[in-house]
Amino acid sequence: MFTLAEVASLNDIQPTYRILKPWWDVFMDYLAVVMLMVAIFAGTMQLTKDQVVCLPVLQSTVNAKAQPGMSGKADFTTVETTTGQGEAASTRTVSFGSVPTVTPDVPLSRATSSHFQPTESGQELKKEQKDSSGRKTNLDFQQYVFINQMCYHLALPWYSKYFPYLVLIHTIILIVSSNFWFKYPKTCSKIEHFVSILGKCFESPWTTKALSETACEDSEENKQRLTGAQSLPKYVSTSSDEGSPSANTPMITKSGFKFSADKPMIEVPSVTILDKKDGEQAKALFEKVRKFRAHVEDSDLIYKLYVGQTVIKTVKFIFILCYTANFVNTISFEHICNPKVEHLIGYTQFECTHNMAYMLKKLLISYISLICVYGFICLYTLFWLFRIPLKEYSFEKVREESSFSDIPDVKNDFAFLLHMVDQYDQLYSKRFGVFLSEVSENKLREISLNHEWTFEKLRQHVSRNAQDKQELHLFMLSGVPDAVFDLTDLDVLKLELIPEAKIPAKISQMTNLQELHLCHCPAKVEQTAFSFLRDHLRCLHVKFTDVAEIPAWVYLLKNLRELYLIGNLNSENNKMIGLESLRELRHLKILYVKSNLTKIPPNITDVAPHLTKLVILNDGTKLVVLNSLKKMTNVAELELQNCELERIPHAIFSLSNLQELDLKSNSIRTIEEIISFQHLKRLTCLKLWHNKIVNIPSSITHIKNLESLYFSNNKLESLPAAVFSLQKLRYLDVSFNSIALIPAEIGLLQNLQHFHITGNKVDTLPKQLFKCVKLRTLSLGQNCITSIPDKISQLLQLTHLELKGNCLEYLPATLGQCQLLRKSGLVVEDHLFDTLPSKVKEMLNQDTSIPFANGI
């Protein structure tokens, strides 16, 4: 057998699961325990005290006459005697003849030890009848035990014998049915996870804080109490509208918000400050709740399993009640037994008593009563399950009572578990709802962020950029710390990968701020902050993945001078480029677009009248439509890089004010159209580098105002004389081509200051080159030059000379006459530098030897 503790363990569940046990499940568990006690009590009584006592039923009187013709056999005569009034008849059998006689009232040993003596037996019979007070049956003890056991199995109804075991089996089935959803692997894991998260959410300090803030916001009395509290050194907004605005609104509007730089808001320290460890745990809980919701809302297995086990219990109740009620009347104290063992005992019928009958009947009635109560509770459970849609759960009441109006409704198993929790305590669901709210999560991030990023820490991250401006770069934070807006002397603010960035009204304190970078950061701004940015911001960089990420307020910055857009403007979902109207950017001068455009967005023409610089950097996508360029008559600088252009676009020739043209990294092979540049009287810089140009047409001579010409990284094999007719040319770059000869006409370029011919096949330098006395930079590296003429001394303004990668054996001593040249500007192998005279080396090292000596 098994112990009570072992059976009770079937009904034992983890204490944490109790929040998922409504009152009916708890009541049914207690009823199951009582039924279990009934079964064990009945079984114990049956094993220890259950017995049947039987007596034979006498059917005739004793016949004292001998029966003739019975020689060799024992003659039996039934004798009926009556002793006393109302007593039962007893029977004795008397044997006549030579065969031993078996008498029920005489032991078998006496009956078989001697032959029957009529005279002596008659005397003994008379004596026994005289001495006894009841009727004799002449059965010994073993015969009574035998007949009691026979009649226990034959006469008693089977339900009386197996009642305790049936009750035990039925109770175990009911217990298993009640708790199966806690044990089934596919539901057990979800339930464990849910209970674990629910407990942590209930006990989290952030839950208490969030609900306390809500209570304070809804209570005027609490607001008055907060007025007298100790102020904090942080600026904290008391606006209850912490929700994100719709995607259609360009900025955040807060009703009742009034910005003040001198008067910080007041809050209770215990409500505002959250321990760092508690904050991290709360943030982890938000992530767990988000993942658990996504996992559980996909199915309704838990709901179906609970409904199934409730139906099983109801069917079980009906089955037990139907067959058990029929056996109530079969349990009785007296039973008639016909064992058919007359040849062993001598009697055919016995009357038996069952000493446990009364107790069993009472226990059976009690069991039926418990089963009826259990069944009615099952019926109520089914009514509850189908009365309302349990696969949907609404937090409407929580939304009404708190400021978290964005708590979403849930469905399927998630909803069912919350309905079950509500039967235990609705406060659990209310606290759990805090962790489903994005507003609540944003509040937590804001508090944790401000706690971590103090003013002193932010000050340490401020640096000076190349333009000698104070710059702060914030990367991958949960938001923008409030202390950032206390850095009033900041010039440049970079926000990168901050998806929940919000710019409050405090930004108006940053009077020096003129440049803002938003890298994958769709920042939202308050109304006051937007007004400040609209009037003061001069430069804005926006880096995005999709055009929808560009904040709407960007298009309303009327005083913006420079706009840099880096991201996908030609989305597959939008055949039309999604760039909104730039009409409000009335003072925009520079527009930089790095994207994958197939055509120039027509919206750019909104800023055409005042735009002076347009830069389009494609990712290799072919730019086909450029007609919009014709409207940009005031553009002075135009860059079309990596646009897969094969020819110079004709639309460019209409830009009468164009001063600089950069067509870098395209697929241009021929530039015959270059003659049309003669109409662009202001064109001074032409960059056709990193293309596939084979030759330079002689018509280039018509661009008389050219000062800078870039042809590096092409396929040029020679330089036409027309290039050297450009008398205003100051910068010439033909590096990394296949040029073998520098024409003597180069001496005509008297204004040439920078000449780059690195990475070609030049082997000699013409003497006319050194007539360009204004040269400051001369790059001759990676060629086949064997010697440097002494006339290099004529380049008195030379500051940079590159000779590395040639076939030189020595350097001319006349380098020392280049008074502005220093070793830092001389790019040459070390062994060639050592060939110079000591005085020359000393002069070239002059700028570095002095600090070196000081260092020693």
Side-chain angles (χ1 to χ4, degrees), residues 730 751-756 772-779 795-802 820-821 825:
R730 294 186 299 171
N751 292 315
L752 190 62
Q753 297 180 6
H754 305 275
F755 181 45
H756 300 271
C772 303
V773 293
K774 293 183 179 181
L775 272 176
R776 296 180 181 180
T777 302
L778 181 57
S779 300
L795 305 180
L796 299 179
Q797 297 186 21
L798 192 64
T799 58
H800 181 85
L801 177 60
E802 180 184 351
L820 299 179
L821 185 63

Side-chain angles (χ1 to χ4, degrees), residues 638-818:
L638 177 62
E639 295 184 20
L640 302 175
Q641 297 186 19
N642 205 16
C643 298
E644 286 297 313
L645 300 176
E646 297 179 357
R647 304 181 73 90
I648 299 176
H650 290 276
I652 295 177
F653 305 139
S654 302
L655 306 178
S656 57
N657 290 314
L658 190 64
Q659 299 177 14
E660 181 177 331
L661 176 63
D662 188 352
L663 299 178
K664 180 182 179 181
S665 300
N666 284 284
S667 300
I668 300 175
R669 296 179 180 273
T670 178
I671 54 173
E672 297 299 332
E673 303 89 346
I674 203 171
I675 191 173
S676 299
F677 282 137
Q678 63 182 329
H679 304 294
L680 306 180
K681 303 298 183 180
R682 298 185 180 183
L683 185 63
T684 59
C685 181
L686 179 60
K687 297 181 179 180
L688 297 173
W689 48 351
H690 296 270
N691 280 280
K692 301 176 182 179
I693 301 172
V694 177
N695 61 350
I696 302 174
S698 58
S699 56
I700 196 173
T701 188
H702 297 289
I703 315 176
K704 297 184 181 300
N705 293 321
L706 270 183
E707 296 179 3
S708 301
L709 188 59
Y710 292 75
F711 275 101
S712 62
N713 296 88
N714 279 280
K715 297 182 179 181
L716 299 176
E717 296 182 356
S718 63
L719 291 175
V723 173
F724 306 109
S725 64
L726 302 173
Q727 294 298 319
K728 295 184 179 181
L729 200 62
R730 294 186 299 171
Y731 191 105
L732 178 59
D733 186 359
V734 289
S735 301
F736 301 101
N737 283 278
S738 301
I739 300 172
L741 179 65
I742 300 177
E745 289 82 358
I746 194 171
L748 300 175
L749 300 177
Q750 292 298 310
N751 292 315
L752 190 62
Q753 297 180 6
H754 305 275
F755 181 45
H756 300 271
I757 196 168
T758 302
N760 282 275
K761 301 178 181 180
V762 177
D763 54 359
T764 59
L765 298 178
K767 295 179 180 180
Q768 290 81 1
L769 174 63
F770 304 106
K771 291 182 179 181
C772 303
V773 293
K774 293 183 179 181
L775 272 176
R776 296 180 181 180
T777 302
L778 181 57
S779 300
L780 303 171
Q782 300 181 35
N783 280 280
C784 303
I785 302 173
T786 57
S787 64
I788 303 296
D790 292 338
K791 288 189 176 183
I792 196 172
S793 59
Q794 297 178 12
L795 305 180
L796 299 179
Q797 297 186 21
L798 192 64
T799 58
H800 181 85
L801 177 60
E802 180 184 351
L803 298 173
K804 192 172 184 178
N806 283 282
C807 303
L808 299 173
E809 295 181 359
Y810 64 94
L811 296 178
T814 54
L815 276 177
Q817 299 179 25
C818 299

